Structure formats: C-alpha cells, structure tokens
Amino acid sequence: MTEDTTTPTERDDAPASGDDVVDRILANASSRAGVSVFTPGAAQAIQTTGLGSGTYRGDDHGLGVDGDQFDRDDRQALRRVAGLSTELEDVTEVEYRQLRLENVVLIGVYSQGTLADAENSLRELSALAETAGAVVLDGLLQRRPHPDPSTYLGSGKAIELKNIVASLGADTVIADTELAPSQRRALEDVVKVKVIDRTAVILDIFSQHAKSREGKAQVELAQLEYLLPRLRGWGESMSRQAGGQVGAGNGMGSRGPGETKIELDRRRIHTRMAILRKKIKEMKPAREAKRANRNRNAVPSVAIAGYTNAGKSSLLNRLTRAGVLVENALFATLDATVRKSVTADGRPFTYADTVGFVRNLPHQLVEAFRSTLEEVAESDIIIHVVDGSHPDPEAQLATVRDVIHEVDGREIPEVVVFNKSDLVDDSRRLVLRGLVPDAIFVSARTGEGIDELLARLAEILPRPEVDLDLLVPYDRGEVVARIHDIGRVVDVEYLETGTRVLAKVYPQDAATLQEFAS
C-alpha cells in the first residue's frame, strides 16, 4: 500500500478546522431531528481572538516576559499518529510523509441546565481533544432525562451516530462524561470504532505534558486507577493458566480453577500501583523539606490557582520572569513552579504556579496530584485566576473553588484575578464585577493591573509585628544576616560590644532571638 502523501488542503475529504468545522456542523444540523449541535458565537474553550499567532505569549508582542520558551517546539512536534499503514513503495518517500491525527466525533447527553451550558461543555471537550492531538469532525448533543444505561445515547441515536461516523471517516468517538465500562463496550459494538470518554482524554493530555519524575508517576497512577475496572479480554486473552483442564486428562498440575489472563493483568496493575504509591510517598519528604525551609525562614507563600488556560503561567512570568512554558492549550503546564519575590517594602515571599483545573476533573487525578495541590493548601494567599474573556466565568469560579475546598484550602485568603482584561470591554467588566466585586482586572499580555495586584498582595501578606532591640556580638554575624532574611531591619548601630539591631520580626521568630535582647 502506498502511503497518502497529500497535504490536508489537497484532499477533498480533509476536515476543516476552527470555525469552519462549526459552520459545517450548523449547515448539516437541520437534517438531524432531535439532535443539537454547536451554536454560532458560543465560547471557544481555547482562546482564539486577539492573539495574532493564536498563542498567548508576552514575547510575541515585544514584552519578553515569557522567556525563550524552548520547550514549545518539542511539544508541538509531539502529535498522535493515526493507526494507518506506513508501508512505502520507495524508501525515499519517508521524508514526505504527513502526520495523521485521529479524527473524532464528540457526543454529549444533558438532562439539566440550558443548551448553551451543554454547548460550552462540548466545546471544552473539543479543545481537550485538539490538545491531545485530534481533529474534531462533528459534535452531537442530545437532551434526555437520563443517559441510556446500555449505549449512553439510546439504541436509535447510537445507530444514527454509527452512520455519521461512517460518512465522516472518523476513527474515534469521545463522550462528554465518564462512561461506565458496559456503556463503552456496548457503544463500540454499535459504531464499530473506538469509544473513549472525557476522563480518558484528560489523562492522555496529562501523560503527554508530564515532565518531572513525580508528575509522570502521578499520571501513571491515575491512568492505572482508571484502567483497572475497564480491562477487557479478547479471545485467548481470557483463557485460563495451568488449571481448569481436569477433564482434558492432562494429569498433575492441571487440576483446579486456574487463573485467567485478565486476572493476571489485574494483579500486575495492583502491584504497579503499589510501587507508584510508594515512589510518590518517597518523593514527599524532599518537597516537605523545601517547604519547611521556607516556613522556618518565615517566607509566606502565594499559590496561583485557576482554571486551565486561564493564564496562570503567563501571569507568573509577568510577575517574576520565571520563563515557565506558556502555550494556548489546556493543561500546558502540570508541574508546580516556585519562584521567589519581594514586596515593595522588602518582605520576601514565594509564588507557586499549580496545575490547572477543569470541570468534571477526574477524581483519580485529584487524588494522584494531591501532593502537588498541597502547595495550594499550604499557602498564605491564593491568587484565583479566571479567564475574563470566557463566556462562563461563573462556572470556572465554582469549579476551582470546589477543588480548593477538596484539598482543605477553604480558609485561605483568596484574591480573584480576571486575566486577559485586554480582551474584555466595559460592559463585560460590569458583569464580572457583579460576580466578584473586589476582583482585580489584569492582563499578563499588556501588564495592566499588575501594580494593583502587587499592592493587594503586600496588603494581605503577613507583616513582622514584634519589635526587637538586639545586641549581637561581632563573632555572631550569622545572626545579623538571619534577621535581615526573616524580618525587617529598622536601624543598625555598631558599638564596642557588638552590633545593635532594631528590627521587626514575626512572632514565631522572636523567641529564638531573645538571648540577644539588650
């Protein structure tokens, strides 16, 4: 078989992208009774307006706040190749091969809320699929009281979906929920292509984007927890090992029920999960040691949390020039990044960029990434970043707050920041101000609102409040250096007997310095 070397624009059946897909779906909507599709003007899950190159980067506009971003080319080169033949008649053709992406059709069932809410959820699933490395061909929404327990859509709509998949040449169907194993199998039997759910797509994205050793272990643990109840057997993979052949006359060693291949797989998965949990537990002391060092030196922590693709990493780069990878994609950064900073009056503190959240975030990921989310629970302030240009910011606020509460961060002071304010008009700002009256509008792209944010943080961060008058001998210079690190030095005077220091320190540090009180 000769490999297709034409580009997507040269093929008549090549799928369109972006708004063209939506327009084509709308054009065919009238022919599908009882099925809703995307609505024009609805929200895009990935920002596409006002970005020029489509990537939300400060250095695209001459600001240089995002650094060199060397990892981006490597990430964009990593794409899913469809399972098609790659045999070539001439080996020299290998350099002309085109990368094939999975062609997918999205499906969703909604029983509560409005059609606009369901469409926003399906558009977010479309963005997730594109981030994972797929081309979205079509999207289907159905309203019914409850998803069908057998095929999720119901027998009639499942056959209709089969015809759509066949006509479009799709090779994958993605459901906008977490399917039960029986629903997935039954739907695959009808449509005759692979069926996955929202959870599987999110896990796939996490698997592609995890960089650190701990992040990879956390993602693998979440994937195994998801896979365990969904193991399937085909043909001989269900056959028994050794036992179960008592009637076959095979003699000793063959009597008894035996063990099926799928049972062996389950046992291996349980063993691997135990190893991963042990590894993650072993990584915890190193992280706690770093956090304990910051606590011992009374360095407050500010956690940057928020919905995925809200601009958390862009904001961190704007605040600290950290050079964290910034990409217009969901879950672009997974590993926590900590950077040091100081207030205008010289008080040190740290920023911690955390993993983004999304609606219906898989429980397996919340559990697996609990160690990473500890940065939120252990912080002194949470900067809650919301995409101000998103059409449903209220849902973003609720989703992130639910996860923050789940990791015991309910009592931590919260500063709500509406990012991408350069894409928000005045009427939209009034609506957002109604959601959170004391929120701050910032733009990591232009720098708008950054000074106001820094002033708010300086106001909330704990201040050294204990006045000390210390006389430190000249041979204890390390004590003077420590006072500079943990407190605010008001005055220094050099006497014959030592260095007199007037300083303000935190209450927990005052007791350790009382021996030098003058």
Side-chain angles (χ1 to χ4, degrees):
M1 180 183 295
T2 303
E3 186 177 9
D4 180 12
T5 60
T6 59
T7 60
T9 56
E10 294 172 342
R11 295 197 303 266
D12 295 336
D13 60 345
S17 60
D19 294 337
D20 294 339
V21 175
V22 179
D23 294 339
R24 183 176 52 74
I25 294 170
L26 290 169
N28 297 332
S30 59
S31 62
R32 300 196 196 116
V35 178
S36 303
V37 295
F38 296 125
T39 299
Q44 295 292 337
I46 293 182
Q47 185 66 50
T48 58
T49 58
L51 302 185
S53 63
T55 305
Y56 201 78
R57 292 178 57 190
D59 54 347
D60 285 339
H61 304 272
L63 302 176
V65 295
D66 288 331
D68 294 321
Q69 301 288 300
F70 290 120
D71 293 337
R72 181 174 301 166
D73 292 339
D74 292 339
R75 175 166 294 182
Q76 290 178 345
L78 179 63
R79 289 293 183 265
R80 180 68 58 81
V81 181
L84 302 177
S85 174
T86 58
E87 285 90 0
L88 301 172
E89 292 182 354
D90 184 355
V91 72
T92 59
E93 296 179 14
V94 67
E95 58 184 287
Y96 302 108
R97 279 186 287 183
Q98 297 294 321
L99 196 62
R100 289 186 175 90
L101 308 180
E102 286 191 67
N103 298 320
V104 303
V105 173
L106 312 180
I107 59 174
V109 172
Y110 68 104
S111 57
Q112 299 177 347
T114 64
L115 176 61
D117 294 335
E119 288 175 349
N120 284 336
S121 179
L122 203 64
R123 284 186 178 276
E124 186 174 271
L125 179 62
S126 174
L128 288 168
E130 291 172 3
T131 302
V135 176
V136 178
L137 302 180
D138 210 337
L140 302 167
L141 275 176
Q142 182 187 15
R143 186 180 185 96
R144 54 182 298 155
H146 303 285
D148 184 74
S150 176
T151 59
Y152 181 64
L153 292 175
S155 58
K157 286 294 184 288
I159 295 176
E160 184 177 343
L161 174 63
K162 174 185 177 181
N163 296 332
I164 293 173
V165 168
S167 63
L168 295 176
D171 45 40
T172 304
V173 172
I174 305 178
D176 190 22
T177 185
E178 183 169 330
L179 295 177
S182 58
Q183 289 176 319
R184 179 179 171 183
R185 288 194 297 269
L187 196 56
E188 280 185 346
D189 291 341
V190 175
V191 300
K192 306 301 182 182
V193 297
K194 179 175 65 176
V195 176
I196 60 176
D197 55 23
R198 184 188 186 97
T199 301
V201 176
I202 295 176
L203 289 172
D204 188 87
I205 296 172
F206 272 58
S207 177
Q208 292 182 35
H209 293 181
K211 292 289 187 182
S212 67
R213 189 165 61 98
E214 183 177 15
K216 292 178 180 178
Q218 290 168 331
V219 172
E220 184 180 355
L221 177 60
Q223 287 177 317
L224 291 176
E225 288 179 348
Y226 173 79
L227 174 65
L228 188 59
R230 293 170 174 80
L231 284 179
R232 296 179 60 177
W234 292 273
E236 292 186 358
S237 66
M238 294 290 289
S239 62
R240 294 190 176 276
Q241 308 292 314
Q245 302 178 17
V246 67
N250 290 330
M252 294 183 294
S254 63
R255 299 175 179 85
E259 186 175 33
T260 61
K261 177 67 166 58
I262 197 169
E263 290 169 345
L264 287 172
D265 291 340
R266 288 196 186 103
R267 182 149 49 84
R268 291 191 181 102
I269 289 177
H270 280 296
T271 302
R272 180 60 181 168
M273 288 169 62
I275 294 173
L276 290 172
R277 289 193 180 101
K278 183 179 179 181
K279 285 183 177 179
I280 295 173
K281 187 176 180 180
E282 291 173 348
M283 299 173 193
K284 188 175 182 179
R287 185 176 54 256
E288 289 181 341
K290 296 178 183 178
R291 189 180 300 121
N293 188 51
R294 296 198 298 267
N295 294 337
R296 183 171 58 254
N297 293 327
V299 179
S301 174
V302 176
I304 303 177
Y307 214 77
T308 180
N309 208 44
K312 298 182 298 300
S313 297
S314 298
L315 182 60
L316 179 65
N317 288 341
R318 167 63 69 172
L319 291 169
T320 66
R321 298 188 179 272
V324 178
L325 174 68
V326 173
E327 188 177 14
N328 184 34
L330 306 188
F331 300 112
T333 52
L334 301 182
D335 301 317
T337 302
V338 179
R339 292 292 184 270
K340 185 178 180 180
S341 186
V342 294
T343 61
D345 57 357
R347 286 174 289 153
F349 67 98
T350 61
Y351 291 108
D353 183 21
T354 61
V355 63
F357 307 136
V358 72
R359 71 179 78 191
N360 302 324
L361 187 67
H363 178 72
Q364 299 96 329
L365 282 175
V366 176
E367 289 300 317
F369 277 78
R370 185 169 293 274
S371 57
T372 300
L373 296 175
E374 286 176 0
E375 293 291 347
V376 176
E378 297 292 334
S379 63
D380 295 280
I381 302 175
I382 296 175
I383 298 179
H384 183 167
V385 183
V386 183
D387 183 355
S389 63
H390 195 275
D392 194 7
E394 189 173 4
Q396 287 196 1
L397 282 164
T399 298
V400 175
R401 283 171 173 169
D402 287 344
V403 180
I404 290 175
H405 294 170
E406 191 171 345
V407 296
D408 301 326
R410 188 189 306 265
E411 305 300 328
I412 301 174
E414 177 191 57
V415 177
V416 177
V417 170
F418 286 112
N419 193 21
K420 306 183 184 179
S421 60
D422 53 308
L423 305 178
V424 179
D425 56 23
D426 293 338
S427 60
R428 179 67 175 173
R429 292 193 182 214
L430 288 175
V431 175
L432 297 175
R433 185 70 71 185
L435 291 177
V436 186
D438 61 345
I440 301 174
F441 289 86
V442 306
S443 172
R445 180 186 185 186
T446 65
E448 175 192 350
I450 296 297
D451 292 338
E452 183 182 355
L453 174 59
L454 293 174
R456 178 77 63 85
L457 294 177
E459 179 183 341
I460 301 176
L461 283 169
R463 295 174 178 272
E465 56 189 23
V466 179
D467 294 316
L468 290 181
D469 186 352
L470 306 176
L471 183 61
V472 182
Y474 286 119
D475 60 350
R476 297 298 303 276
E478 79 281 358
V479 176
V480 178
R482 182 167 181 266
I483 295 172
H484 280 276
D485 289 336
I486 66 175
R488 184 166 65 90
V489 175
V490 178
D491 187 34
V492 177
E493 183 180 0
Y494 298 99
L495 306 176
E496 292 184 3
T497 55
T499 305
R500 185 186 180 190
V501 181
L502 300 180
K504 290 181 176 291
V505 298
Y506 296 99
Q508 62 268 29
D509 298 313
T512 62
L513 299 171
Q514 285 300 324
E515 61 177 297
F516 304 103
S518 58

